[in-house]
């Protein structure tokens, strides 16, 4: 058997679990605005169960519709009216042979005003988190007692609905974690101060929950064992907490990290290494004998199997990996590793969408969150000859789904290799994971028999020579250089050429013009090549176009001795390797002389071919950056949406 440790059965409390793969709780916003489970949500989870996940822990479910909601469409469990939907969900997962727990949660001071319909969030103390910047209201002792009951009643409803257990969300800076952590708990009564006092709320919840649900129902706790902030929870204390929790009779510990002020340690952006947090689970495992679940950027079955084999954790949670590929477990078990569509940690479609009040989706899997709406891959009603021009993510996704539907597909790419801008996007420091998606698509395209022509720049005549019944133009874009500026190629270039390696700059004074994602990343790249870099951006914010968690990490990368950043600074003119700029803080024109200028002013769409083919082919579509320059997520989504219509 492949990965025998990962695929050995496990047990939590009395619950027998078919393998060691856990889908950790991940909010979806697929619920209704009134807290009910929706068919979209049931199908989303059912697919992950069908894909072979041993245990699915349903996302954070609120125990208080009124004050506890941390997302606008979060499902709830504080009334019996939610039972029918919850029952359907548990049944759908069980019918596929998986076990399922449900996470009970209260958002505390990390609730947004929009999620609580304008109410001030509540917390142990009236202290705002840096991330949310909303001062919460301090809970009274009477309110704390009521909340203890609400958690326990929520757990009982989960049992009645047919779930195999509940996970108490005591992590990530939500209400219970706010009590546990000295970072957010400033109380002076019996709920604050000493470790014993800070644990009181959680212990009371465990005690009440056990009273209502009985000994046989699985009960676990998710704990941030390090919050990576000054004055916050650290392993030294959380080891002790783990011991106390075991003694209180919980059945497992789910080891995680962070709160919103250290949010990149909750949902890691692309720069975090695979398995970087496993050591924390290992440390907790040393002090308890109940099962421990580890989580965080575990993308390869081999790594997951080794974790179990080496006794570092008993179960391995694959979070975004299962959003990206619900069949991760089945493919791993059958040894089809290349077939796994690995999450690249871009955070754009999943948490990025949620934080913008959208639903869970995925840049590399356009079906994620749309399983119910899109159904299965539908065979084409009429097989067509489809020509796709452009081998970036948009074109590759279009070609793949078109071929899967049975069409005859030709994919034409002007460069020697496929990938489009993904090959550049993967070059800045710590962004190698992007290449995983390119590799996955290449593997799938060859499996599905797509005819690929690389090194061929297609013009209208060439496309028409295939007599296509449908053409999809996915020609991406080009870096923008304002026409008014005459660039001297010996001292001025684009971020793309620097990342491509066609221009090498080392040990120089460089001025980067444009501080979006690309400008910031090329700055970090140039700084690694021993250059002194000045980054100039006209907006007040750098990396304004990045997903919020990723943006925080990009800004950290810029915090280096050899990088200087200037915002609200507009480049007015270019003279050789000098720029003339206007800074809002100082309204007189100034200059910066560099050895080299690097431009990162955005992307202009390549639409020439699309325009040339108008009215010349029966069907024509435009997708991705060629339509409007954005990200992989949109290119892939548009490619898939078009391929579904062909
Ligand atoms: C440095 C950098 C970093 C980035 N980082 C990220 C990131 O972290 N996350 C993210 O989501 N996005 C990122 N992006 C953006 C992302 O890569 C693009 O949005 C995405 O690749 C667009 O996909 P596409 O398929 O529409 O176009 P492209 O990827 O541009 O692909 C278009 C393809 O068409 C080919 N082509 C053009 N004309 C013709 C023709 N006539 N005949 C044949 N072939 C042709 C091109 O050679 C190219 O390969 C980054 C981009 C850059 C440059
Ligand atoms: C979209 C999204 C929503 C999440 N929601 C929750 C949640 O509801 N409860 C929770 O404890 N963790 C939540 N997490 C954190 C994940 O459970 C997991 O710990 C994290 O994504 C790291 O694991 P991964 O790299 O395997 O994705 C969420 C993560 C994502 C990406």
């Amino acid at each position: 058997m492949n990965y025998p440790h990962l695929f050995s059965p496990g047990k939590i409390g009395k619950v027998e679990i078919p393998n060691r793969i856990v889908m950790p709780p991940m909010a979806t916003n697929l619920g209704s605005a009134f807290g009910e489970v929706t068919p979209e949500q049931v199908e989303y989870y059912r697919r992950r169960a069908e894909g072979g996940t041993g245990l699915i822990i349903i996302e954070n479910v609120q125990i208080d519709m009124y004050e506890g909601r941390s997302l606008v469409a979060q499902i709830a469990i504080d009334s019996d009216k939610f039972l029918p939907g919850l029952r359907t969900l548990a049944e759908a997962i069980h019918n596929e042979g998986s076990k399922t727990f449900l996470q009970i949660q209260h958002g505390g001071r990390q609730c947004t005003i929009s999620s609580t319909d304008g109410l001030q969030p509540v917390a142990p103390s009236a202290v705002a988190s840096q991330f949310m910047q909303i001062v919460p209201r301090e809970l009274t002792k009477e309110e704390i007692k009521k909340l203890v009951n609400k958690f326990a009643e929520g757990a009982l409803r989960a049992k009645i609905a047919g779930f195999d257990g509940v996970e108490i969300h005591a992590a990530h800076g939500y209400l219970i974690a706010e009590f546990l952590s000295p970072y957010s708990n400033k109380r002076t009564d019996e709920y604050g101060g000493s470790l014993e006092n800070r644990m009181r709320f959680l212990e009371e919840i465990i005690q009440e929950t056990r009273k209502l649900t009985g000994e046989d129902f699985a009960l676990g706790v998710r704990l941030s064992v390090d919050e990576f902030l000054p004055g916050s929870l650290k392993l030294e204390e959380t080891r002790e907490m783990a011991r106390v929790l075991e003694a209180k009779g919980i059945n497992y510990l789910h080891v995680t990290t962070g709160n919103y002020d250290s949010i990149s340690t909750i949902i890691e952006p692309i720069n975090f290494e695979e398995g970087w947090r496993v050591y924390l689970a290992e440390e907790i495992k040393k002090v308890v004998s109940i099962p421990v679940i580890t989580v965080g950027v575990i993308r390869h079955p081999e790594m997951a199997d080794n974790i179990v084999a080496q006794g570092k954790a008993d179960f391995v949670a694959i979070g975004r990996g299962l959003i990206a590929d619900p069949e991760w477990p089945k493919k791993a078990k059958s040894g089809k590793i290349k077939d796994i569509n690995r999450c690249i940690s871009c955070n754009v479609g999943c948490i990025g969408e949620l934080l913008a009040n959208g639903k869970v989706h995925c840049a590399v899997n356009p079906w994620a969150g749309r399983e119910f709406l899109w159904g299965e891959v539908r065979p084409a009603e009429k097989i067509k000859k489809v020509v796709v021009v452009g081998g970036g993510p948009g074109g590759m996704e279009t070609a793949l789904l078109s071929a899967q539907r049975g069409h005859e597909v030709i994919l034409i790419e002007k460069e020697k290799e496929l990938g489009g801008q993904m090959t550049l996007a993967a070059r800045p420091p710590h962004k190698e994971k992007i290449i995983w998606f390119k590799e996955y698509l290449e593997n799938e395209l060859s499996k599905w028999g797509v005819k690929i022509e690389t090194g061929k720049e297609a013009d209208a005549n060439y496309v028409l020579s295939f007599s296509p019944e449908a053409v999809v133009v996915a020609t991406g874009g080009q870096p923008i250089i304002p026409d008014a500026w005459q660039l001297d190629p010996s001292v001025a270039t684009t971020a793309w050429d620097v990342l491509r390696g066609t221009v090498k700059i080392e040990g120089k004074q460089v001025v980067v013009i444009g501080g979006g994602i690309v400008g910031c990343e090329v700055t970090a790249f140039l700084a690694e090549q021993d250059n002194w870099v000045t980054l100039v951006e006209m907006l007040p914010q750098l990396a304004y176009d990045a997903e919020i968690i990723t943006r925080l990490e990009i800004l950290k990368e810029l915090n280096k001795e050899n990088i200087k950043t200037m915002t609200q600074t507009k480049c007015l003119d270019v003279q050789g390797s000098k720029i003339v700029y206007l800074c809002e803080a100082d309204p007189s024109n100034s200059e910066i002389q560099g050895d080299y200028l690097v431009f990162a002013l955005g992307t202009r769409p390549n639409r020439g071919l699309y325009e040339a083919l108008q009215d010349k082919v029966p069907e024509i579509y435009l997708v991705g950056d060629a339509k409007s320059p954005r990200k992989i997520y949109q290119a892939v989504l548009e490619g898939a949406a078009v391929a579904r219509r062909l």
Side-chain angles (χ1 to χ4, degrees), residues 24-27 60 103 169 172 222 266-267 295 297 299 319-320:
M26 286 181 292
N60 53 352
Q103 188 182 55
H169 198 343
H172 301 167
R222 199 167 207 210
I266 303 179
I267 306 174
V295 74
V297 206
R299 304 280 187 259
R320 286 165 292 173

